[in-house]
Amino acid sequence: MARKTFISYKYSEAANVRDRIIKSLGDDATYYRGERASSPNLTNFTTYTIKNKLKDKIYGTSVTILVISPRMNQSNWISWELEYALKDQKRGDICSHSNGIIGVVANDSWGSSEWFTGWNWTKDFDSQNLYLPDIVVQNRLNKKATYPEARYHLTDHDWINKNSYVPIVTENAFIRNPNIYIEDAYERSQHLNEYYMTKISDQDRMRRSMF
């Protein structure tokens, strides 16, 4: 079943990744609610207006696709978008619950994600986290049942993904079969009680205030 999706990304370095992801969705791209290449430029709008437009796009979606790029933490919007996507929102009689989130590591100019993963996912958990907003870091290795043993698996990528609310895959893997990863993220969102969820990050809010 197709899910309504939103892509969170840093425009200056990942707009092309956004376009490749939308293309990979095929017919299901009709359920995509975020920005496209044809979308109006919001640069000159006030922060208040931009937030309201983003809220309208995110509200009602069930999965957020997060594009992980080298300087994503310089974005003033990504962590805010993730916070909003994780909130329970109510408009009238309709409630929008926490989105599932799937992280997609952007390819570099050589078509590789090794800048983040290392060769064959050999870069350890803590090194990867240096690139990520705190709200993502806090929602990795946060499954309640396995939380006590997480420190023993910091180099086991498959184990990390299995036991995280926010799994992370390479762009190449996602593009090959996006529906698998979107549906997996959605299924995790239906079992929030199985995770120690972080929906607001004071660290991210402080970082946003610095830009």
Side-chain angles (χ1 to χ4, degrees), residues 126-164:
D126 291 329
S127 297
Q128 294 171 9
N129 285 344
L130 295 175
Y131 294 99
L132 303 173
D134 183 63
I135 197 168
V136 177
V137 174
Q138 298 304 321
N139 285 303
R140 299 183 77 197
L141 286 181
N142 63 331
K143 196 166 189 177
K144 293 177 181 178
T146 54
Y147 188 78
E149 57 182 296
R151 65 186 183 274
Y152 301 117
H153 300 273
L154 299 183
T155 58
D156 186 341
H157 176 68
D158 290 337
W159 198 94
I160 291 169
N161 267 359
K162 183 178 179 181
N163 294 283
S164 298

Side-chain angles (χ1 to χ4, degrees), residues 8 20 38 56 64 66 84 102-103 108 122 138 147 164 189 196 207-208:
S8 182
R20 290 196 291 268
S38 58
D56 288 343
T64 297
L66 169 66
Y84 189 81
I102 173 67
D108 60 22
T122 52
Q138 298 304 321
Y147 188 78
S164 298
S189 74
Y196 293 113
R207 178 182 287 160
R208 291 200 297 269

Side-chain angles (χ1 to χ4, degrees), residues 28-178:
D28 288 349
T30 58
Y31 296 93
Y32 171 65
R33 296 293 182 262
E35 293 181 326
R36 300 172 182 265
S38 58
S39 297
N41 189 334
L42 301 181
T43 304
N44 295 324
F45 285 82
T46 65
T47 298
Y48 176 81
T49 299
I50 294 172
K51 282 186 175 181
N52 282 336
K53 288 182 178 295
L54 288 172
K55 287 177 181 178
D56 288 343
K57 291 178 183 297
I58 298 170
Y59 180 81
T61 62
S62 54
V63 174
T64 297
I65 302 166
L66 169 66
V67 178
I68 298 169
S69 57
R71 289 171 291 279
M72 65 186 297
N73 273 335
Q74 294 177 12
S75 168
N76 213 10
W77 292 106
I78 291 176
S79 61
W80 179 88
E81 289 168 351
L82 296 177
E83 278 192 18
Y84 189 81
L86 286 170
K87 288 180 180 178
D88 291 333
Q89 308 287 348
K90 186 173 183 179
R91 294 186 177 186
D93 295 328
I94 302 175
C95 289
S96 177
H97 299 292
S98 295
N99 276 19
I101 300 175
I102 173 67
V104 178
V105 184
N107 283 344
D108 60 22
S109 56
W110 292 277
S112 169
S113 299
E114 289 186 10
W115 64 268
F116 181 87
T117 66
W119 181 79
N120 198 27
W121 287 101
T122 52
K123 188 173 285 189
D124 67 81
F125 178 79
D126 291 329
S127 297
Q128 294 171 9
N129 285 344
L130 295 175
Y131 294 99
L132 303 173
D134 183 63
I135 197 168
V136 177
V137 174
Q138 298 304 321
N139 285 303
R140 299 183 77 197
L141 286 181
N142 63 331
K143 196 166 189 177
K144 293 177 181 178
T146 54
Y147 188 78
E149 57 182 296
R151 65 186 183 274
Y152 301 117
H153 300 273
L154 299 183
T155 58
D156 186 341
H157 176 68
D158 290 337
W159 198 94
I160 291 169
N161 267 359
K162 183 178 179 181
N163 294 283
S164 298
Y165 186 72
V166 181
I168 294 175
V169 300
T170 64
E171 180 184 337
N172 291 338
F174 184 88
I175 293 294
R176 280 195 294 271
N177 204 331

